[in-house]
Amino acid sequence: MKVFSNPLGSGSLWFDNLTTADGMPVAYDPQAREFLPMRPFCANREIIGCNWIAPGKAPSAVPAK
């Protein structure tokens, strides 16, 4: 599994992380292929643990291929 840089400080993130080690929320941007400390999060974040950003104003993220 790929390890990603933490956009908010030191440490690493794994692909399925929803937060940093400090508890700050992050989301995966599939276009940039990195984690970002921003919203909007996927509408399914709380339901299934989706950690992708939602593109534009879409209610959920685009599924992985």
Side-chain angles (χ1 to χ4, degrees), residues 15-31:
F15 183 75
D16 59 349
N17 283 128
L18 296 173
T19 63
T20 65
D22 296 334
M24 298 300 296
V26 290
Y28 181 73
D29 180 347
Q31 292 180 338

Side-chain angles (χ1 to χ4, degrees), residues 1-15 17 19-21 24-29 32-37:
M1 187 179 292
K2 183 173 177 170
V3 179
F4 294 87
S5 297
N6 179 349
L8 298 172
S10 64
S12 300
L13 296 170
W14 298 96
F15 183 75
N17 283 128
T19 63
T20 65
M24 298 300 296
V26 290
Y28 181 73
D29 180 347
R33 296 183 178 179
E34 64 183 7
F35 278 89
L36 303 173

